[in-house]
């Protein structure tokens, strides 16, 4: 591949399915020290995709991209509807509040509270992600599903950034579409690429306090 890592066609197809079934609209190198985005034209050739496979993959990429980019949220201060420019942006500037107050107003895309940190990854608010009422309700009321033979909630909050993720594939290993953190959807423990399959107990539903409820 262009990043210098070699991948067999069959393995590449399986990796593409993994990425797309987990809601990603880009195919990235599975090497944890790399993580480079691959151009789909390169992937198509290296994976020796048939016309039907190529069409199916392109449709899935378009679907995921459309879903990921259509998110619109309201400013917690003035309730203006805003759409973030970058699909991974967390630090959002409300132009309406900034204009009215004549001072830049920024809030966190994840927890919908005022931004209280210098960086762009952590907003500085405790339990970021869980405090959003919509997220709390989703985690509390989502249905139980069968994941690799184990019943667990169909939605989880990423253990690293708290982004809400809905399980969409058969595999229990998922990658957060926002921070790219790999973890087990069942037990919520960190997953390392290439590790041997293991059985685990399902972690209870997650709560705002960071604790887990039955």
């Amino acid at each position: 591949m262009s990043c210098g890592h070699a991948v067999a066609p069959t393995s590449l197809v399986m990796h593409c399915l993994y990425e797309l079934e987990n809601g990603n609209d880009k195919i990235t190198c599975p090497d944890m020290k790399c993580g480079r985005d691959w151009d789909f034209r390169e992937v198509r050739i290296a994976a020796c995709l048939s016309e039907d496979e190529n069409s199916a993959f392109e449709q899935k990429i378009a679907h995921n991209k459309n879903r990921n980019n259509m998110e619109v949220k309201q400013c917690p201060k003035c309730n203006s509807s805003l759409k973030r420019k970058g699909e991974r942006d967390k630090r959002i500037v409300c132009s309406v509040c900034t204009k009215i107050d004549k001072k830049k107003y920024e809030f966190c895309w994840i927890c919908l509270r005022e931004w209280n940190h210098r960086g762009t990854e952590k907003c500085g608010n405790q339990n970021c992600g869980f405090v959003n009422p919509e997220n709390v309700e989703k985690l509390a009321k989502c249905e139980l599903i069968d994941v690799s033979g184990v019943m667990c909630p169909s939605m989880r909050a990423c253990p690293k950034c708290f982004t809400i993720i809905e399980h969409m594939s058969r595999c229990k290993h998922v990658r957060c579409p926002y921070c790219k953190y790999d973890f087990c959807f069942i037990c919520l423990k960190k997953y390392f690429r290439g590790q041997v399959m293991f059985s685990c107990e399902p972690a209870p539903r997650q709560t705002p306090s960071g604790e887990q409820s039955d």
Side-chain angles (χ1 to χ4, degrees), residues 69-118:
N69 291 338
M70 282 185 65
E71 286 188 277
V72 174
K73 294 188 177 181
Q74 291 184 315
C75 168
K77 187 174 182 179
C78 71
N79 293 323
S80 297
S81 296
L82 300 171
K83 182 178 180 180
R84 56 183 174 182
K85 295 180 180 180
E87 62 182 29
R88 298 180 185 177
D89 291 348
K90 290 183 67 177
R91 189 170 183 169
I92 311 300
V93 177
C94 176
S95 57
V96 176
C97 289
T98 298
K99 184 177 181 179
I100 294 175
D101 299 337
K102 296 182 179 180
K103 178 182 179 181
K104 183 183 289 187
Y105 178 76
E106 300 174 304
F107 69 92
C108 176
W109 183 264
I110 304 299
C111 69
L112 297 180
R113 289 182 289 177
E114 185 173 3
W115 193 272
N116 291 305
H117 197 267
R118 292 183 179 180

Side-chain angles (χ1 to χ4, degrees), residues 98-197:
T98 298
K99 184 177 181 179
I100 294 175
D101 299 337
K102 296 182 179 180
K103 178 182 179 181
K104 183 183 289 187
Y105 178 76
E106 300 174 304
F107 69 92
C108 176
W109 183 264
I110 304 299
C111 69
L112 297 180
R113 289 182 289 177
E114 185 173 3
W115 193 272
N116 291 305
H117 197 267
R118 292 183 179 180
T120 58
E121 288 299 314
K122 296 182 179 180
C123 65
N125 296 312
Q126 186 177 11
N127 295 324
C128 173
F130 281 119
V131 297
N132 185 340
E134 293 182 2
N135 290 346
V136 174
E137 184 174 7
K138 287 179 180 178
L139 292 171
K141 297 183 178 181
C142 65
E143 64 178 347
L144 294 177
I145 59 171
D146 185 321
V147 178
S148 299
V150 178
M151 298 302 292
C152 70
S154 61
M155 291 185 177
R156 295 290 205 183
C158 169
K160 185 176 181 180
C161 72
F162 302 121
T163 296
I164 302 300
I165 301 171
E166 182 176 6
H167 196 273
M168 300 179 66
S169 68
R170 296 179 180 178
C171 184
K172 65 180 182 178
H173 301 142
V174 299
R175 171 182 289 182
C176 175
Y178 177 76
C179 71
K180 304 303 180 183
Y181 182 76
D182 290 283
F183 66 98
C184 174
F185 201 84
I186 296 175
C187 66
L188 301 180
K189 294 181 180 179
K190 181 175 177 58
Y191 169 69
F192 297 94
R193 291 298 180 89
Q195 74 180 55
V196 179
M197 292 287 287

Side-chain angles (χ1 to χ4, degrees), residues 190-214:
K190 181 175 177 58
Y191 169 69
F192 297 94
R193 291 298 180 89
Q195 74 180 55
V196 179
M197 292 287 287
F198 59 90
S199 59
C200 55
E201 294 295 324
R205 294 179 184 271
Q206 296 153 293
T207 64
S209 64
E211 300 175 347
Q212 296 171 335
S213 62
D214 295 327

